[in-house]
Amino acid sequence: MAGILESVDQRTRLVGQNRLEILMFRLSGRQQFAINVFKVQEVVQLPKMTLMPHRHGSVCGVVNLRGQTLPVIDLSRAIGLRPLVPDERSTIIVTEYNRSIQAFLVGGVERILNLNWEEVLPPPSTAGRQHYLTAITKVEDRLVEVIDVEKVLAEIVPYNTSIAPERLTDPVLERARGREVLCVDDSTVALSQLRETLTQLGITIHTASDGAKGLNKLKAWADAGEVVSDRLLMVFTDAEMPEMDGYRLTTEIRNDPRLRDLYVVLHTSLSGNFNLAMVQKVGCDNFLSKFQPEKLVDVVRERLLLEDRS
């Protein structure tokens, strides 16, 4: 229990401060890439790997690590670069995304770096790998590209956004038709998943690609004289985003008298024992791991029932 509490404390220390830690690494060239440290379980040398028949082209094979069988994904090939050649000296990064654990084969891990989200920007439209990037930053005048791992994983195991037909006739959920929500996320895959699921309920979707853009949209509605908490059924926000993260966005919403009554759901690929602590610390109303369409519908239903009681 002490270990869990220590982990919660360590991982929530940056919450609300608009900061993040990234793990920097190389793939098949000199370009530096990164992912959020929150998603990383460990970095180890590649164990003995077993090949699988009919595997996806980006999956090298599987390994057994601490009693778990994990797919090993060639991250370089997955984002369109030259494939890596695995050997006994290769390095894997073991990560957890959306309640699944996988290993990414990389060319070499460099270091962990603590940054302010304001230093992390959306990729420019001219970026050749924008399709697989959520953000960029500069470290010692060198460009670091933050990979959209959710997109990589969705291409290997496509996600399902369908809702059971009987749920669509639920009298409570029928009241969602015509309502509006704001979805804030830097991942196009995550925004698509939200849109494809929520539109089945007849909900109108507004989107923003980071917390700053989301906050500006909310404030623009408020400046125009709208009661934003009446207009929007809820706000879904990712945790990690360039310029302003979801924790800071929630803090800004709670600090604005015109917005503070909004129902905010933290919608993130982070999972683990620290989720509840993060939600409580920044004042979110609910938490939802990504790519769970039925649970997403549950959250909408809970919100509608809460309106009945208020």
Side-chain angles (χ1 to χ4, degrees):
M1 178 61 71
I4 291 175
L5 293 176
E6 181 181 356
S7 174
V8 169
D9 181 64
Q10 290 173 349
R11 289 176 179 253
T12 57
R13 197 168 295 150
L14 303 181
V15 170
Q17 299 180 27
N18 211 37
R19 299 192 67 83
L20 81 156
E21 288 182 316
I22 58 172
L23 175 65
M24 295 168 52
F25 55 88
R26 290 173 288 102
L27 294 175
S28 56
R30 298 183 61 186
Q31 173 62 45
Q32 293 178 315
F33 297 92
I35 58 175
N36 196 315
V37 170
F38 269 18
K39 312 291 179 64
V40 177
Q41 289 195 346
E42 58 183 323
V43 177
V44 296
Q45 195 170 27
L46 177 66
K48 182 180 178 181
M49 186 169 60
T50 303
L51 300 181
M52 299 184 304
H54 314 299
R55 65 186 184 275
H56 186 278
S58 297
V59 177
C60 304
V62 297
V63 295
N64 188 282
L65 190 65
R66 311 191 200 294
Q68 287 186 301
T69 300
L70 308 179
V72 178
I73 299 167
D74 181 347
L75 193 52
S76 184
R77 177 169 179 168
I79 67 170
L81 298 179
R82 186 175 74 250
L84 297 169
V85 179
D87 59 33
E88 66 278 1
R89 296 168 297 175
S90 296
T91 300
I92 57 172
I93 302 174
V94 181
T95 65
E96 181 179 0
Y97 283 82
N98 306 326
R99 308 164 318 283
S100 70
I101 300 175
Q102 54 281 311
F104 290 106
L105 181 71
V106 298
V109 170
E110 298 196 351
R111 57 174 163 152
I112 290 175
L113 192 67
N114 189 304
L115 295 171
N116 190 307
W117 270 114
E118 293 169 354
E119 304 171 63
V120 183
L121 303 174
S125 58
T126 55
R129 283 181 297 280
Q130 183 187 13
H131 198 48
Y132 291 98
L133 302 182
T134 59
I136 60 171
T137 189
K138 276 195 173 182
V139 177
E140 298 170 354
D141 293 326
R142 293 188 63 187
L143 184 68
V144 179
E145 300 182 346
V146 182
I147 293 178
D148 187 349
V149 177
E150 292 171 11
K151 179 169 180 57
V152 170
L153 294 175
E155 290 185 351
I156 294 173
V157 182
Y159 59 85
N160 177 19
T161 60
S162 60
I163 302 171
E166 59 270 18
R167 301 213 66 186
L168 298 178
T169 59
D170 182 332
V172 175
L173 290 173
E174 285 182 349
R175 299 208 308 272
R177 295 197 172 276
R179 302 297 299 272
E180 301 177 38
V181 303
L182 174 64
C183 301
V184 186
D185 204 304
D186 60 339
S187 171
T188 57
V189 171
L191 287 177
S192 294
Q193 188 263 342
L194 283 166
R195 183 182 294 107
E196 291 171 20
T197 303
L198 293 173
T199 52
Q200 294 175 68
L201 300 177
I203 293 175
T204 299
I205 315 299
H206 303 277
T207 64
S209 58
D210 63 63
K213 291 184 179 68
L215 184 63
N216 288 340
K217 191 180 290 283
L218 293 170
K219 288 190 172 183
W221 284 328
D223 291 343
E226 294 200 50
V227 180
V228 185
S229 56
D230 289 344
R231 173 171 184 163
L232 295 181
L233 179 64
M234 61 208 326
V235 174
F236 291 95
T237 178
D238 187 21
E240 314 85 38
M241 295 177 288
E243 298 197 70
M244 180 186 290
D245 65 23
Y247 311 126
R248 179 68 175 274
L249 170 60
T250 305
T251 299
E252 294 292 334
I253 288 172
R254 297 304 180 221
N255 288 338
D256 189 325
R258 305 170 302 170
L259 306 176
R260 63 169 53 137
D261 292 332
L262 282 166
Y263 190 89
V264 181
V265 179
L266 189 67
H267 182 242
T268 174
S269 54
L270 289 171
S271 51
N273 293 294
F274 52 90
N275 285 331
L276 183 58
M278 291 193 296
V279 168
Q280 291 174 340
K281 184 167 184 177
V282 298
C284 292
D285 296 286
N286 211 331
F287 169 85
L288 178 66
S289 293
K290 288 182 178 178
F291 307 137
Q292 299 185 91
E294 292 293 341
K295 290 192 176 181
L296 176 56
V297 173
D298 288 341
V299 168
V300 173
R301 194 176 193 279
E302 288 173 22
R303 172 58 181 146
L304 291 166
L305 290 173
L306 186 62
E307 279 190 334
D308 292 342
R309 296 192 291 267
S310 62

